[in-house]
């Protein structure tokens, strides 16, 4: 009971701090560009922390140790390494995309390809792709809350949803970014402290590895027993193949640098240089991933088979914290895990909102709407979308569950070609972009519904097809005028790019 | 074996992760230096 009080006190203090930051941000949020892109004013440090916090969702916090608990060190190759390799070329694309100040990701299509149709289509893709993601995060944080406090799951979802909605709807992108700094710090300190405690409890790093090499139990009751030695083998003794890992990389990896939530982090930064600094967060991310992996393997040494009431490895993280970490640090870690979920939720909520209000409503239905009215409308719409996400968490529609499973592949299939080819090839045309988005979309949805993600991820077919469509159709159609592509390309003499940049900076 | 972990695991699982981060940091630094702000 005493420890419960500490958990609740720390969580309440943390929630109060986040709400206070949200309120501060609200006072500085006056325009639509402020609400969706932080007024393009954030420093390199805030961008760095924002990337760190958004990149680490509740899926990685709970799922990382769970994967390592079940399969061992191969997790590093399967998840983190694949992700890092995928973004190695991210800075090159980012440097070009950030040359123009965008308020939303789909606005890129209106600027680079002069296509409002594509802007609306991209808005719809983001909305559908991320709506389910919102409820995945809510689901995760609510589970944590109910584990700690004993609250019913229903109230966990409602409380965490309303809490995140409160600061995001009020303060927009700035609130999300500033709270991400706090959330990132809580998260990093929490994970490092937890790793020290759990590794200590399991007898030290060397001891963990020596013992893990001998484990041959089932990870949870009814699961396939682990082959002896697999936990410390680079590919879990053949359970995972390099071919599979490569297909996985092609599937969702390629979409990572053009994922809307990272493009908006980039847009929120005050300069190209500040924006690019977000990629340095991989130094911290790599350290955290290694910690979570070691924690998962240490968990297996401490608890070779999960108690019968737990039917999946997802429970290992909360179980380790409750059992092996002192209550004060444990509370901090739960706050950190909740932070990971909230910071992903807030970023995705803003993306969904801008898709509806800025890319679809303003573009098609009411181009004359004033900046002030659009900002207020966006605040209302973000609250409505958040409430829909809360309802979806209780009653998830089938098609959205399918979407959530392949959302990274969906963004790879539809955004890879227009973003990458668009910023590196002046000859990319409007028709080429429309063809690439539609071809990618149709193939990825068809393959997903027909074949699922195994053995080859649907995006592995969709991305090349989308690239080919872009190249062929662009060659056959009329090139766009120089004003469309010029802002994205470096000038020969250096310096800033053009009136387009000024135009989009002011949100006119 | 190093700290009870086979060398192959250090190289494939830890090494590739670390190498990828090093390359990413180099690419980022060069791009930042070349960026027109």
């Amino acid at each position: 009971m005493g420890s419960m009080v500490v958990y609740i006190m720390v969580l309440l203090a943390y929630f109060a701090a986040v709400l206070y930051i949200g309120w501060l941000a609200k006072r500085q949020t006056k325009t639509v560009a402020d609400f969706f892109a932080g007024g393009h004013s954030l420093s390199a440090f805030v961008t760095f922390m924002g990337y760190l916090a958004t990149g680490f969702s509740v899926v990685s916090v709970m799922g990382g140790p769970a994967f390592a608990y079940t399969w061992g060190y191969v997790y590093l190759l399967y998840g983190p390494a694949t992700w890092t390799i995928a973004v190695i070329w991210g800075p090159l694309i980012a440097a070009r995309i950030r040359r123009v100040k965008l308020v939303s990701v789909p606005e890129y299509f209106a600027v680079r390809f002069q296509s409002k149709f594509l802007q609306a289509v991209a808005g719809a893709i983001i909305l559908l792709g991320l709506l389910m993601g919102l409820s995945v995060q809510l689901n995760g944080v609510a589970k944590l809350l109910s584990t700690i406090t004993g609250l019913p799951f229903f109230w966990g979802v409602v409380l965490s949803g309303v809490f995140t909605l409160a600061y995001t709807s009020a303060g927009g992108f700035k609130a999300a970014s500033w709270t991400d700094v706090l959330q990132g710090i809580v998260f990093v300190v929490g994970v490092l402290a937890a790793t020290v405690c759990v590794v200590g409890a399991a007898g030290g790093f060397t001891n963990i590895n020596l013992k893990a090499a001998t484990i041959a139990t089932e990870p949870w009751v009814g699961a396939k027993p682990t082959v002896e030695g697999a936990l410390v083998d680079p590919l879990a003794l053949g359970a995972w193949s390099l071919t599979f890992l490569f297909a996985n990389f092609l599937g969702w990896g390629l979409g990572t640098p053009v994922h809307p939530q990272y493009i908006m982090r980039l847009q929120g930064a005050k300069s190209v240089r500040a924006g690019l600094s977000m990629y340095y967060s991989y130094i911290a991310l790599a350290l955290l991933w290694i910690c979570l992996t070691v924690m998962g393997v240490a968990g297996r040494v401490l608890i070779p088979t999960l108690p019968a009431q737990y039917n999946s490895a997802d429970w290992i993280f909360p179980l380790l914290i409750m059992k092996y970490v002192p209550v004060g640090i444990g509370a901090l870690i739960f706050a950190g895990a909740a932070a990971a979920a909230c910071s992903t939720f807030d970023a995705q909520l803003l993306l969904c909102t801008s898709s509806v209000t800025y890319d679809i409503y303003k573009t098609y239905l009411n181009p004359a709407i004033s900046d002030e009215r659009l900002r207020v409308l966006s605040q209302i719409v973000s609250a409505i979308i958040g409430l829909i996400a809360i309802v979806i968490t209780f009653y998830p529609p089938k098609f959205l569950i399918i979407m959530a499973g392949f959302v990274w592949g969906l963004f790879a299939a539809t955004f890879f070609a227009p973003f990458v080819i668009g910023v590196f090839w002046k000859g990319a045309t409007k028709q080429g972009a429309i063809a690439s988005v539609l071809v990618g979309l149709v193939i990825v949805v068809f393959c997903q519904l027909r074949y699922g993600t195994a053995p080859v991820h649907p995006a592995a077919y969709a991305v090349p097809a989308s690239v080919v469509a872009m190249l062929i159709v662009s060659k056959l159609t009329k090139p766009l005028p120089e004003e469309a592509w010029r802002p994205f390309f470096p000038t020969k003499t250096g310096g800033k790019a053009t009136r387009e940049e000024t135009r989009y900076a002011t949100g006119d | 074996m190093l700290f009870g972990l086979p060398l192959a695991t250090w190289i494939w699982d830890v090494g590739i992760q670390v190498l990828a981060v090093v390359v990413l940091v180099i690419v980022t630094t060069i791009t930042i230096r070349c960026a027109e702000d």
Side-chain angles (χ1 to χ4, degrees):
Chain A
M1 191 62 206
S3 61
M4 181 81 72
V5 174
V6 178
Y7 282 134
I8 294 174
M9 297 283 281
V10 171
L11 273 176
L12 284 179
Y14 160 75
F15 283 169
V18 168
L19 286 177
Y20 177 67
I21 294 173
W23 177 75
L24 285 182
K26 182 180 184 299
R27 299 199 318 186
Q28 287 198 13
T29 299
K30 305 239 176 339
T31 65
V32 170
D34 286 340
F35 190 74
F36 288 130
H40 311 287
S41 66
L42 302 174
S43 68
F45 176 68
V46 175
T47 309
F48 169 93
M49 291 304 287
Y51 192 93
L52 183 75
T54 309
F56 242 100
S57 71
V58 73
V59 178
S60 16
V61 183
M62 308 272 281
F67 195 107
Y69 178 87
T70 315
W71 300 104
Y73 284 96
V74 68
Y75 171 63
L76 281 174
L77 195 57
Y78 168 81
T82 307
W83 201 8
T84 316
I85 293 168
V87 295
I88 280 175
W89 54 297
L92 303 174
I93 307 164
R96 297 219 165 176
I97 294 174
R98 182 57 186 77
R99 290 178 66 79
V100 175
K101 290 175 179 168
L102 304 168
V103 171
S104 74
V105 174
E107 192 181 19
Y108 167 81
F109 292 94
V111 180
R112 173 64 183 87
F113 298 111
Q114 303 186 335
S115 170
K116 291 194 169 175
F117 165 70
L118 219 41
Q119 181 180 8
V121 169
I125 290 172
I126 290 176
L127 181 66
L128 284 178
L130 293 183
L131 201 51
M132 190 64 202
L134 288 175
S135 77
V136 170
Q137 301 299 329
L138 271 187
N139 189 51
V141 75
K143 267 192 184 145
L144 274 176
L145 270 183
S146 18
T147 313
I148 311 164
T149 61
L151 262 181
F153 177 73
F154 174 83
W155 287 108
V157 172
V158 172
L159 284 179
S160 50
V162 170
F163 161 72
T164 317
L165 263 182
Y167 73 80
T168 313
S169 296
F173 193 87
K174 266 190 189 162
S177 299
W178 291 351
T179 52
D180 280 358
V181 173
L182 175 70
Q183 293 171 348
I185 293 169
V186 168
F187 183 65
V188 171
V189 173
V191 168
L192 292 179
T195 310
V196 171
C197 296
V198 173
V199 169
F205 183 56
T206 306
N207 190 45
I208 289 168
N209 296 329
L210 292 173
K211 280 194 179 157
T214 65
I215 285 175
T217 58
E218 46 189 17
W220 61 91
V221 178
K224 205 175 147 197
T226 301
V227 180
E228 190 174 322
L231 290 174
V232 294
D233 184 79
L235 289 168
L237 291 175
W240 298 86
S241 69
L242 283 178
T243 321
F244 175 84
L245 293 173
F246 185 66
N248 191 41
F249 168 75
L250 282 183
W252 56 261
L254 285 172
T256 313
V258 292
H259 191 291
Q261 70 192 31
Y262 301 136
I263 292 184
M264 280 323 287
R265 289 278 159 214
L266 186 69
Q267 288 296 338
K270 66 180 177 187
S271 64
V272 178
R273 290 191 172 106
L276 287 174
S277 68
M278 70 186 188
Y279 286 103
Y280 287 131
S281 62
Y282 276 83
I283 300 168
L285 284 171
L287 180 68
L288 292 177
W289 276 317
I290 290 171
C291 284
L292 289 172
T293 308
V294 174
M295 216 194 289
V297 178
R300 192 64 190 274
V301 170
L302 289 165
I303 313 170
T305 300
L306 284 169
Q309 70 265 38
Y310 302 111
N311 59 358
S312 99
D314 282 343
W315 292 98
I316 189 63
F317 183 77
L319 214 59
L320 285 174
I321 305 302
M322 302 282 266
K323 219 167 167 181
Y324 298 102
V325 177
V327 62
I329 300 173
L332 188 71
I333 294 160
F334 279 125
C342 293
S343 54
T344 306
F345 182 94
D346 60 33
Q348 297 186 345
L349 177 64
L350 285 171
L351 285 164
C352 289
T353 307
S354 60
S355 297
V356 173
T357 60
Y358 193 80
D359 299 308
I360 298 174
Y361 179 73
K362 187 185 176 207
T363 302
Y364 268 110
L365 301 174
N366 190 1
I369 189 170
S370 74
D371 194 83
E372 169 68 17
R373 285 185 67 120
L374 188 62
R375 180 184 59 77
V376 175
L377 180 72
S378 299
Q379 287 178 312
I380 297 167
V381 169
S382 70
I384 294 171
I385 292 176
L387 292 175
I388 293 173
I390 292 176
V391 175
I392 287 176
T393 312
F394 297 121
Y395 309 103
K398 203 175 167 196
F399 80 98
L400 278 181
I401 298 176
I402 296 171
M403 295 293 277
F406 80 127
V407 66
W408 289 83
L410 176 72
F411 291 138
T414 50
F415 291 167
F416 177 87
F419 271 98
V420 178
I421 299 178
V423 297
F424 285 111
W425 183 40
K426 294 167 185 171
T429 69
K430 176 178 172 177
Q431 294 79 2
I434 292 174
S436 75
V437 171
L438 296 183
V439 165
L441 183 64
V442 168
I443 292 181
V444 84
V445 171
F446 174 78
C447 291
Q448 175 71 30
L449 296 177
R450 186 80 193 260
Y451 307 110
T453 48
V456 178
H457 197 291
Y461 307 111
V463 174
S466 161
V467 168
V468 170
M470 167 66 105
L471 296 175
I472 292 177
V473 177
S474 290
K475 277 282 176 199
L476 297 175
T477 48
K478 198 171 146 234
L480 282 162
E482 186 175 343
E483 65 181 41
W485 53 259
R486 170 52 63 201
F488 296 93
F489 286 78
T491 49
K492 277 181 188 159
T493 53
K496 286 194 175 179
T498 75
R499 67 188 172 82
E500 283 295 324
E501 178 154 349
T502 319
R503 180 182 152 206
Y504 284 93
T506 54
D508 289 341
Chain B
M1 288 276 216
L2 188 62
F3 294 109
L5 204 57
L7 278 182
T9 308
W10 279 106
I11 295 166
W12 279 98
D13 296 342
V14 185
I16 289 185
Q17 166 67 45
V18 173
L19 183 69
V21 171
V22 170
V23 175
L24 176 61
V25 166
I26 293 170
V27 172
T28 304
T29 307
I30 294 172
T31 317
I32 285 179
R33 289 193 172 208
C34 299
E36 295 168 10
D37 255 341

